[in-house]
Amino acid sequence: MELCDKSAMNLAALLRKGEVSSREITESVFRRIEEREKTLNAYITIVNEAALKQADQADERFRKRENLPLLAGIPLAVKDILCTKGIKTTCGSKILNNFVPTYNATAVDRALRDGAVIIGKTNMDEFGMGSSTENSIIGPTRNPVNTQLVAGGSSGGSAAATASGEAILALGTDTGGSIRQPSAFCGTVGLKPTYGRVSRYGVIAYASSLDQVGPIGRTVEDCAMLLNSIAGHDSLDSTSADLDKPDFLQALKKDVKGLKAGLPREYFIKGLDKGIKNKIDEAVKLLEKNGVEIIEISLPHTSYAVSVYYLIATAEASSNLARYDGVKYGFRSDNDIQDSIAMYEATRSEGFGKEVKRRIMLGTYVLSAGYYDAYYLKAQRIRAMIKKDFDKAFEDVDFIITPTTPCLPFKLGEKLSDPLQMYLVDIYTVSLNLSGLPGMSLNCGNINGLPVGMQIIGRAFDEEMVLRVGHGYEKITA
Ligand code: GLN
């Protein structure tokens, strides 16, 4: 097995025994990139030299027998939505094609503090808007499992890089499913933490009340390890929760026996792929055999989630994206421009892609004076009801199990002409962003070689439960 195919935890152990160096691991990742990146298109920017320098620095510290965090010397891919000091950060958009941040996002800063080796910036749908990375300015990432298929999105680059050995771990962001859905499609583990668990400082905003940064890895343990580095209060983000940070790896030591799992009736309905349903049923049976009590629950407002999500997300996006006007940074149209209004117009018309424009228009419309009450305010009310459904369910259960997606990874181009079809891929993931809850997708088998994702949902700030169940399931099926 190549080094780049090993888990982060495994590599961390080898590094500590002095059996491998971070340079060797990093070179192994670059060899894989050499082999596969032309096809996969998982990265927007790759930083070879800087990465090897970071690897050498980590090795130097290992040689001095410093007591280093587990992340030290491990290659990490970073979604191109997180600001990286001195490294171009495009958010998959033409409008930021020349943007080089002067600071790091907090999550990046913390990973670097712990000695991670940053390999590059991963491909994504423009501003996080999409479910397939087909909305990226550099074109789509292909699914490493089958390159005719999408890798999912918007963190498709991060998931594909992790799945293929082009990285060991990755950072993604999730506004409506963008960590969990590509993880389901590529067969990786992806965790969206509770809103407020990981700082959003330096994360280019899509929808600020929904966005969350989280880890993607090949095992639950690896996700827990990366979460240990990036989580915790940050005074630079006013929505960051001022709570003690648990040791998420410790949480994996407890088994699943005696826990209660909820299965929401409303998630197992027409439209869910039969094969996926069977795989989830099998996983549930296995958990039951291992001492988990299964309880049917109801989340009655589920059917509104996608509509509510697309009203709130587009409203917030229309406001957040108002800042890209060609004045301070990023792309500026060089058309023959007479005045500033014409400059804004030309810059935004040329700089944003089709889907981003669609959402800015929709968001501006739902926030407009005449329609605010009818759409935006109503959506906020139903959002509160969706959250209440979860609160009620969690009175009886410790965690909830659902499919991550209603369908298997689809063909490139298949849903591109029908935005509604694309939006429906998020049907099982958006409710968690609307409620702020943590959720993780992990692989629960394959259908004709294509990965199936199972979603585990926890109470707010109970990532420990989510990780514990996920790890428990991995052990049962190992
Ligand atoms: N696919 C969803 C959207 O387009 C979710 C994206 C995300 O989580 N960033 O909004």
Side-chain angles (χ1 to χ4, degrees), residues 162-273:
T162 308
S164 65
E166 289 195 5
I168 306 297
L169 286 168
L171 288 177
T173 61
D174 190 310
T175 304
S178 280
I179 289 177
R180 292 161 283 157
Q181 184 260 25
S183 290
F185 279 8
C186 295
T188 52
V189 183
L191 171 67
K192 180 200 93 70
T194 312
Y195 184 80
R197 179 62 96 183
V198 180
S199 169
R200 289 183 299 112
Y201 179 74
V203 178
I204 295 175
Y206 162 12
S208 310
S209 77
L210 305 163
D211 298 342
Q212 216 359 239
V213 182
I216 296 178
R218 291 186 218 122
T219 66
V220 173
E221 256 187 340
D222 282 10
C223 283
M225 167 180 157
L226 182 52
L227 187 63
N228 269 349
S229 281
I230 61 173
H233 181 244
D234 177 17
S235 57
L236 298 173
D237 171 4
S238 62
T239 60
S240 148
D242 196 357
L243 291 173
D244 283 342
K245 183 179 71 170
D247 179 345
F248 296 105
L249 280 167
Q250 278 298 325
L252 309 185
K253 300 214 164 119
K254 299 185 202 144
D255 66 15
V256 295
K257 206 166 149 214
L259 294 177
K260 290 181 182 161
L263 284 187
R265 193 177 304 139
E266 293 81 1
Y267 280 58
F268 295 88
I269 43 161
K270 212 175 86 207
L272 168 62
D273 181 280

Side-chain angles (χ1 to χ4, degrees), residues 4 7 29 73 100 133 148-149 155 190 233 242 264 289 293 315 338 360 368 398 404 423 426 440-441 453 476:
C4 65
S7 74
V29 165
V100 180
T133 70
Q148 299 308 307
L149 308 178
S155 314
H233 181 244
D242 196 357
K289 242 176 75 190
E293 185 185 340
Q338 308 302 323
I360 293 175
S368 61
D398 300 304
T404 307
Y423 295 175
D426 302 330
M440 180 169 73
S441 178
I476 294 168

Side-chain angles (χ1 to χ4, degrees), residues 315-347:
E316 292 185 17
S318 74
S319 161
N320 275 326
L321 270 55
R323 73 191 69 173
Y324 305 105
D325 55 11
V327 176
K328 296 179 285 297
Y329 54 91
F331 165 81
R332 177 188 293 185
S333 168
D334 52 12
N335 262 352
D336 181 27
I337 283 160
Q338 308 302 323
D339 56 42
S340 46
I341 299 287
M343 193 276 282
Y344 303 152
E345 252 180 43
T347 297

Side-chain angles (χ1 to χ4, degrees), residues 79 81 125 127-132 135 153-155 173-181 206 210-211 309-310 313 355 359 422-423 425-426 429-430 433:
K79 187 178 183 182
I81 198 169
D125 289 292
F127 287 98
M129 298 177 187
S131 305
S132 65
N135 298 331
S154 64
S155 314
T173 61
D174 190 310
T175 304
S178 280
I179 289 177
R180 292 161 283 157
Q181 184 260 25
Y206 162 12
L210 305 163
D211 298 342
Y309 169 80
Y310 276 97
E355 181 63 24
R359 296 197 187 192
M422 194 72 98
Y423 295 175
V425 178
D426 302 330
T429 49
V430 292
N433 302 75

Side-chain angles (χ1 to χ4, degrees), residues 15 39 50 61 97-98 157 176 195 211 218 259 268 282 294 398 430 461 472 478:
L15 281 164
T39 317
R61 295 174 70 187
N97 64 0
N98 58 3
Y195 184 80
D211 298 342
R218 291 186 218 122
L259 294 177
F268 295 88
E282 281 171 27
I294 308 293
D398 300 304
V430 292
F461 297 104

Side-chain angles (χ1 to χ4, degrees), residues 286-297:
L286 270 178
L287 286 169
E288 195 170 21
K289 242 176 75 190
N290 283 271
V292 174
E293 185 185 340
I294 308 293
I295 299 171
E296 194 187 74
I297 58 165

Side-chain angles (χ1 to χ4, degrees), residues 49-100:
E49 266 174 47
L52 289 170
K53 213 164 127 195
Q54 282 167 354
D56 289 342
Q57 279 165 1
D59 285 333
E60 188 57 38
R61 295 174 70 187
F62 276 117
R63 260 195 297 277
K64 288 190 194 143
R65 304 210 164 270
E66 279 182 44
N67 193 4
L68 297 175
L70 286 170
L71 195 56
I74 305 289
L76 173 74
V78 177
K79 187 178 183 182
D80 209 23
I81 198 169
L82 290 123
C83 285
T84 40
K85 188 175 172 180
I87 305 174
K88 197 172 69 167
T89 300
T90 71
C91 224
S93 182
K94 179 174 175 183
I95 212 152
L96 285 174
N97 64 0
N98 58 3
F99 173 52
V100 180

